[in-house]
Amino acid sequence: MRADNQILIISKSFALRIIRLYTYLKEEKREHVMSTQLLRCGTSIGANVRESINAQSKADFINKMNIALKEADESQYWLELLHESSYLKDSEFESLNDDISKILGTLTKIIKSSRSNG
């Protein structure tokens, strides 16, 4: 099984944005709890997508994609909390939320397509 190239690219790009956001929140805003949670799940998306490349079966591939989807959903939750608690400005949140929404949509399509193809 091979993960869709687009999801590899956008999940890695998102992970890099999350790493930079984590550094900013930790150093500039002195926020540690939510940013650490976001760092963990935001970087896990791409790790699971990457791991799916070497899936042992279609079921394993779908499982990795499902884990990535759950991590993406959790990432969106932490972004919402950071925004609603005023750690993220509207423009910062909207940009990151657009990215995670695209990731969620792409993962959902991959999972549905993989399930229906066999």
Side-chain angles (χ1 to χ4, degrees):
M1 301 287 155
R2 176 107 174 112
D4 181 86
N5 241 358
Q6 181 186 12
I7 194 62
L8 284 168
I9 294 165
I10 62 176
S11 61
K12 187 174 185 179
S13 174
F14 183 76
L16 290 167
R17 289 191 75 191
I18 292 302
I19 291 165
R20 288 189 291 272
L21 176 61
Y22 169 77
T23 301
Y24 164 76
L25 289 170
K26 190 175 141 195
E27 293 175 2
E28 301 294 322
K29 299 285 190 172
R30 303 286 183 235
E31 197 298 310
H32 300 279
V33 176
M34 291 182 287
S35 58
T36 300
Q37 289 292 108
L38 178 60
L39 177 68
R40 185 196 56 74
C41 58
T43 56
S44 180
I45 301 163
N48 280 286
V49 168
R50 185 72 171 264
E51 195 175 330
S52 75
I53 293 170
N54 296 306
Q56 296 175 343
S57 65
K58 185 178 202 173
D60 188 32
F61 175 82
I62 292 169
N63 184 51
K64 299 291 185 239
M65 289 290 122
N66 270 314
I67 293 168
L69 181 64
K70 290 176 183 181
E71 296 292 341
D73 191 49
E74 183 181 342
S75 296
Q76 190 171 48
Y77 173 78
W78 291 114
L79 286 170
E80 289 168 0
L81 284 181
L82 285 162
H83 179 241
E84 291 171 25
S85 60
S86 301
Y87 283 103
L88 289 178
K89 297 175 191 165
D90 290 346
S91 60
E92 295 165 332
F93 170 74
E94 288 165 12
S95 176
L96 288 160
N97 194 54
D98 284 348
D99 284 358
I100 198 64
S101 294
K102 183 175 182 182
I103 290 169
L104 285 162
T106 303
L107 287 168
T108 300
K109 275 193 220 173
I110 291 169
I111 293 164
K112 283 182 181 177
S113 172
S114 295
R115 283 186 178 145
S116 67
N117 289 339

